[in-house]
Amino acid sequence: MIKVDISNVWGQLSLPDLLAIEKEVSNAHMTLTQGTGAGNDFLGWLTLPTAEETEEMRRIQAAADRIRATSDVFVVIGIGGSYLGPRAAIELMQGCNHNINKGKGDPQIFFAGNTLSTRAWNELLRLLEGKDFSVAVISKSGTTTEPAIAFRGLRWLLERRYGTSGAKKRIYAITDPCKGALRQMADEEGWESFVIPPAAGGRFSVLTPVGLLPLAVAGIDIRQVMSGAYEAMEEYNNLRSFENPVWLYAGVRNLLYRNGKAIEILESYEPGFRMFGGWWQQLFGESEGKDGKGIFPVAAEFTPDLHSLGQMIQQGERNIFETMVRFDAPDQKMTIMGDYKNLDGLNYLEGKTLDFVDEKAYLGTLAAHVDGGVPVITMDMGELNDKKLGEMFYFFELCCGVSAYILDVNPFNQPGVEFYKRNMFQLLGKPGYEA
């Protein structure tokens, strides 16, 4: 179980505050699990994890094995929840530089269709030069602008490199089971396809084929991922008290918000966690930011961002709180060596491990920020492995649903996202948007 420590928020909150919100947390969790709240037609993710390998998982793994055997590069086309989850998982488990020295048998994985940058497109084309590649296009509709443009370009490249029939074997569609342009294309062209459950919105879709296919191609054990998510579902939905870390996190962050802490910074000392922070940022930002409400989510990487955001956190406006995420140290250690000249002054650390220094940096930062008036929630994730990955995804999804219902907003819609699209389509001259 993930451990949530709130000992460093008591300067801002009191025990009576926490006890007073317990009924709200309980009601929000009940609203979520019983499906009685706004957006209850998008609760498919809530009971999605399974302890047993399903036929769909076997089919996903078989497709991943084919991709690994035939491709130097696998391109995942999608935007928002269609790419943030799988990219977050792969970088957390394998590091930011996971693509170096990879090829057939263990392909490089790149993400496209999440930007309109020509420079990014040209870079992707350079990375694909002389390499065999396959693509997965992820979209419920198939008409979202950024991924649709990227897919059209990559499909053109595939057909010219492998021919029409050869390209069909290298395209995988992950889309709605019945409707939408991508479903129609997949059926007409004969591409292998996987289903995004209609009741699982994009930002809650990482434990569907949206995330599972890219993870399997990366060599991550998706059975272990789903097992971890299943255990989280069983444990976190049945423990009904503040001994449940979901209740503790959701309750405390809402109490801090009511006390003027309108910005949450999610931090880790692992560089590979940065994209996970991006996934969390979309999950909470798009779920809670509506009706003039919401905690503004910011992801940060420590220690690098202590040299940029650290000053603001320490002495800026007191409208922030932090959530620090920690993992057990890996088995392989780095020991600091001695130097007889000691010009860098590091000999006092001789024989110490890098993990030892990291731990002291964490404790020193924690003490400084708390002393500076910033409440800090800490999360101990334990050992990082494939099973823990599934637990973390489910934990934060559940926290988000409960927290949004405490806030009294619909966690599963995003009406504000459509405003920029409408303006863009009008400027582009898209039919139907002239006025």
Side-chain angles (χ1 to χ4, degrees):
M1 180 181 286
I2 292 167
K3 297 177 182 176
V4 173
D5 181 356
I6 62 167
S7 60
N8 291 294
V9 306
W10 292 126
Q12 308 287 330
L13 304 177
S14 67
L15 182 58
D17 293 331
L18 187 63
L19 296 176
I21 202 175
E22 185 173 18
K23 185 64 175 176
E24 288 183 64
V25 179
S26 176
N27 288 341
H29 195 179
M30 190 177 300
T31 297
L32 183 68
T33 55
Q34 293 184 354
T36 58
N40 56 14
D41 48 343
F42 285 97
L43 292 175
W45 59 274
L46 192 60
T47 56
L48 183 67
T50 174
E52 303 296 330
E53 185 181 38
T54 64
E55 179 57 36
E56 182 180 58
M57 288 171 63
R58 284 189 283 271
R59 199 162 66 87
I60 290 170
Q61 189 61 60
D65 291 342
R66 289 196 300 274
I67 294 166
R68 287 171 64 85
T70 61
S71 302
D72 300 298
V73 176
F74 180 52
V75 184
V76 180
I77 304 169
I79 197 166
S82 296
Y83 96 99
L84 284 168
R87 184 170 176 182
I90 292 167
E91 292 195 9
L92 180 59
M93 299 304 299
Q94 300 181 350
C96 306
N97 303 309
H98 62 92
N99 279 325
I100 294 175
N101 295 326
K102 285 189 174 183
K104 281 192 183 69
D106 188 15
Q108 295 176 310
I109 300 177
F110 297 117
F111 294 87
N114 52 69
T115 177
L116 295 171
S117 165
T118 304
R119 290 181 178 85
W121 174 254
N122 291 338
E123 179 188 20
L124 178 61
L125 293 184
R126 288 194 297 270
L127 292 168
L128 293 176
E129 285 180 3
K131 295 182 178 178
D132 289 318
F133 73 99
S134 299
V135 305
V137 54
I138 306 171
S139 175
K140 278 192 173 181
S141 67
T143 59
T144 305
T145 306
E146 297 91 334
I149 290 173
F151 180 51
R152 182 174 285 201
L154 288 169
R155 182 184 174 189
W156 182 91
L157 186 60
L158 281 168
E159 289 177 348
R160 275 142 191 82
R161 187 172 297 185
Y162 302 105
T164 303
S165 60
K168 289 181 180 181
K169 298 175 183 177
R170 292 178 174 271
I171 296 174
Y172 298 82
I174 303 175
T175 188
D176 188 272
C178 304
K179 61 186 180 182
L182 184 55
R183 168 51 59 197
Q184 182 180 349
M185 284 190 284
D187 290 345
E188 289 181 358
E189 299 296 332
W191 305 328
E192 180 160 8
S193 65
F194 299 94
V195 168
I196 305 174
R203 59 187 177 275
F204 291 86
S205 66
V206 66
L207 295 173
T208 74
V210 169
L212 296 180
L213 180 61
L215 265 62
V217 174
I220 294 170
D221 189 339
I222 60 174
R223 291 166 297 184
Q224 286 295 304
V225 172
M226 289 299 276
S227 175
Y230 176 80
E231 291 181 11
M233 178 183 71
E234 292 289 294
E235 194 164 31
Y236 295 138
N237 279 316
N238 290 318
L239 183 55
R240 301 285 176 141
S241 73
F242 277 126
E243 291 181 5
N244 186 337
V246 170
W247 282 36
L248 202 55
Y249 178 52
V252 168
R253 67 191 304 273
N254 275 275
L255 283 173
L256 290 169
Y257 176 61
R258 294 173 188 179
N259 283 7
K261 307 301 183 184
I263 300 171
E264 178 180 9
I265 307 177
L266 184 77
E267 310 145 349
S268 173
Y269 285 71
E270 294 295 337
F273 189 82
R274 183 174 283 275
M275 281 306 303
F276 197 99
W279 171 82
W280 166 89
Q281 194 168 262
Q282 188 216 8
L283 179 68
F284 279 86
E286 211 165 70
S287 297
E288 292 190 325
K290 55 201 71 165
D291 301 339
K293 305 174 185 177
I295 302 167
F296 192 88
V298 179
E301 177 194 340
F302 286 176
T303 61
D305 286 333
L306 287 173
H307 296 262
S308 56
L309 295 176
Q311 175 63 39
M312 175 64 74
I313 295 170
Q314 192 69 45
Q315 295 183 324
E317 188 173 351
R318 302 296 76 185
N319 61 347
I320 60 177
F321 69 96
E322 299 174 84
T323 300
M324 289 189 177
V325 176
R326 300 290 288 165
F327 298 94
D328 288 353
D331 293 334
Q332 186 175 351
K333 307 295 183 185
M334 181 273 198
T335 301
I336 299 169
M337 309 302 290
D339 186 320
Y340 79 97
K341 288 187 177 180
N342 194 32
L343 295 178
D344 54 14
L346 286 181
N347 275 359
Y348 76 101
L349 294 176
E350 182 179 354
K352 300 290 194 302
T353 65
L354 189 58
D355 291 321
F356 173 84
V357 179
D358 175 82
E359 178 70 12
K360 302 311 175 189
Y362 153 67
L363 293 172
T365 303
L366 176 63
H369 290 184
V370 171
D371 288 345
V374 180
V376 180
I377 301 168
T378 56
M379 288 186 182
D380 182 358
M381 297 294 177
E383 182 183 358
L384 179 58
N385 52 36
D386 295 348
K387 197 170 184 179
K388 179 62 65 175
L389 181 66
E391 180 186 5
M392 289 172 60
F393 277 129
Y394 193 86
F395 170 81
F396 280 113
E397 288 177 345
L398 188 60
C399 288
C400 183
V402 173
S403 182
Y405 279 137
I406 295 171
L407 197 61
D408 195 27
V409 298
N410 180 348
F412 307 112
N413 67 352
Q414 51 278 340
V417 173
E418 302 306 316
F419 283 88
Y420 93 89
K421 293 181 181 179
R422 182 189 62 198
N423 293 341
M424 178 179 70
F425 292 154
Q426 184 178 355
L427 292 167
L428 289 170
K430 183 175 181 177
Y433 290 84
E434 294 87 353

